[in-house]
């Protein structure tokens, strides 16, 4: 069994804005779990890596873009737990700090054109169909085992919250939270903030992962700021304000959009007074490296 012990505290944010609206906001600090196997990436890799070890696999094969937190997390996890790693990178061959870190953790990188990248199972089969050592991990860690790891967030909480928010890319973390809330029957309203334009597809993805209608899930589709990894000046200014006033670092791709949405919904009074809100900080702060010019 691989040792996935970690510590992730809940921390209340004492901002005057929240006090003015009489809402208490807490953060599940999954960003503190590990500097590179960060946040929900740690949770989403936990059970796939245990399954790979159980099956006697020695190489993790996965997928991501050039600034992928998931690629970096998998590379580091491979180094930590004794797997070789192989990453298919979407797009043209480039060199950047995140990919350099992947290589430092001894991940082999293979750049593929965007059309070929669409069919990840086919890519895996072309290169590893005859390999008994390779273990497939989908982009972003998406899958049932990954959702199982995210379900454990709800087991660790020290209190019950009226609302729980998370950022959504593949929908895996949202699905895991939904399954956990459903099991505990705690009545928490679950909110997802898709970071891609047209994020309503997240509903279909979480159904595939076993989430039906037992949990009150609300998707907030208007906080993508133009699409995945897109920004606007108001988002950058919010991130600066939030980081300066809380000392909690967030970034423009996922957590910046997440906290912006929470802030905005509280300001619109869509979160009732006297409510308690939990925001799951999913880590991935190395994403800042590709966007420092925005600041």
């Amino acid at each position: 069994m691989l040792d996935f012990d970690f510590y992730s505290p809940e921390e209340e944010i004492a901002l005057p804005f929240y006090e003015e609206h009489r809402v208490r906001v807490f953060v599940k600090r999954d960003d503190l779990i590990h500097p590179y196997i960060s946040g929900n990436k740690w949770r989403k890799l936990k059970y796939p890596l245990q399954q790979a070890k159980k099956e006697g696999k020695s190489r993790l094969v996965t997928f991501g873009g050039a600034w992928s937190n998931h690629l970096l997390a998998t590379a580091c996890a491979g180094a930590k737990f004794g797997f070789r790693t192989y990453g298919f990178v979407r797009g043209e061959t480039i060199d950047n700090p995140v990919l350099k870190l992947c290589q430092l953790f001894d991940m082999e990188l293979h750049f593929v054109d965007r059309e070929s990248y669409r069919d990840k199972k086919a890519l895996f089969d072309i290169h590893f169909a005859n390999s008994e050592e390779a273990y497939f991990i989908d982009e972003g860690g998406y899958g049932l085992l990954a959702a199982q790891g995210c379900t454990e967030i709800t087991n660790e909480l020290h209190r019950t919250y009226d609302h729980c928010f998370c950022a959504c890319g593949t929908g895996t973390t949202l699905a895991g939270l939904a399954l956990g809330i459903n099991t505990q029957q705690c009545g928490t309203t679950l909110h997802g903030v898709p970071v891609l334009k047209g994020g309503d597809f997240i509903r279909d993805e979480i159904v595939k992962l076993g989430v039906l209608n037992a949990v009150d899930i609300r998707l907030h589709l208007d906080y993508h700021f133009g699409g995945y990894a897109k920004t606007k000046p108001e988002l950058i200014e919010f991130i600066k304000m939030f980081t300066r006033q809380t000392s909690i670092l967030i970034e423009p791709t996922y957590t910046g959009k997440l906290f912006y949405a929470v802030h905005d919904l509280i300001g619109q009074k869509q979160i009732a007074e006297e409510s308690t809100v939990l925001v799951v900080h999913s880590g991935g702060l190395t994403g800042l490296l590709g966007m420092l010019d925005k600041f």
Side-chain angles (χ1 to χ4, degrees):
M1 188 67 68
L2 304 179
D3 182 9
F4 270 83
D5 288 340
F6 59 86
Y7 174 64
S8 171
E10 292 155 70
E11 176 181 337
E12 184 168 9
I13 304 176
L15 284 180
F17 179 81
Y18 300 150
E19 295 174 5
E20 175 188 337
H21 287 84
R22 302 180 66 183
V23 174
R24 296 184 69 186
V25 178
F26 297 77
V27 184
K28 178 66 166 157
R29 294 293 307 274
D30 273 12
D31 57 308
L32 299 179
I33 290 175
H34 190 279
Y36 300 110
I37 319 170
S38 180
N40 64 347
K41 301 298 184 283
W42 180 279
R43 296 184 185 277
K44 289 195 283 186
L45 286 170
K46 176 180 179 178
Y47 289 109
L49 265 61
Q50 289 183 1
Q51 184 63 29
K53 188 69 74 173
K54 181 179 178 181
E55 295 179 12
K57 306 296 187 181
S58 59
R59 180 187 296 226
L60 309 175
V61 180
T62 195
F63 308 80
W67 294 93
S68 170
N69 295 309
H70 169 70
L71 283 179
L72 178 54
T74 305
C76 184
K80 181 175 179 64
F81 296 115
F83 295 94
R84 289 184 293 161
T85 53
Y86 188 102
F88 288 99
V89 186
R90 181 183 64 248
E92 65 280 356
T93 301
I94 65 167
D95 191 11
N96 68 38
V98 168
L99 296 179
K100 276 293 187 188
L101 287 171
C102 289
Q103 291 173 316
L104 279 172
F105 289 123
D106 204 27
M107 174 177 270
E108 183 178 352
L109 301 178
H110 184 135
F111 294 85
V112 296
D113 65 85
R114 295 174 186 273
E115 185 60 32
S116 300
Y117 185 86
R118 292 178 186 275
D119 193 338
K120 298 170 187 61
K121 283 289 189 182
L123 273 177
F124 180 85
D125 289 341
I126 290 169
H127 293 270
F128 295 101
N130 298 319
S131 171
E132 295 183 355
E133 65 178 16
Y135 186 83
F136 176 94
I137 299 178
D138 209 340
E139 183 176 23
Y142 174 82
L144 291 169
L145 289 176
Q148 182 183 344
C150 294
T151 296
E152 296 177 352
I153 295 172
T154 60
N155 301 333
E156 301 166 11
L157 302 178
H158 296 114
R159 60 182 298 157
T160 299
Y161 295 91
D162 299 307
H163 301 271
C164 176
F165 282 79
C166 76
C168 301
T170 66
T172 305
T173 303
L174 186 70
L177 288 167
L179 292 169
I181 289 170
N182 185 47
T183 299
Q184 296 187 6
Q185 297 184 332
C186 55
T188 300
T189 298
L190 181 59
H191 302 257
V193 180
V195 300
L196 298 87
K197 188 183 294 187
D200 199 48
F201 75 92
I202 295 291
R203 297 186 190 279
D204 295 331
E205 295 303 316
I206 63 176
V207 168
K208 293 177 187 176
L209 294 173
V211 178
L212 301 178
N213 298 317
V215 179
D216 184 4
I217 300 177
R218 303 178 188 178
L219 290 183
H220 302 280
L221 304 176
D222 298 326
Y223 297 100
H224 54 75
F225 289 90
Y228 184 74
K230 303 293 185 182
T231 68
K232 291 185 178 180
E234 57 265 35
L235 175 62
I236 299 302
E237 289 306 312
F238 172 80
I239 291 171
K240 290 179 180 178
M241 178 278 295
F242 184 89
T243 300
R244 289 167 183 165
Q245 294 188 16
T246 67
S247 79
I248 298 173
L249 192 62
I250 56 178
E251 43 70 45
T253 303
Y254 289 97
T255 50
K257 294 176 181 180
L258 170 64
F259 281 95
Y260 185 103
V262 172
H263 209 79
D264 191 53
L265 291 167
I266 290 174
Q268 294 180 34
K269 301 191 181 300
Q270 293 193 37
I271 305 296
E273 291 186 358
E274 310 304 330
S275 293
T276 54
V277 175
L278 178 71
V279 187
V280 178
H281 193 314
S282 53
L285 294 173
T286 53
L288 273 169
L289 295 175
M291 293 191 168
L292 291 177
D293 61 328
K294 307 290 185 183
F295 294 86

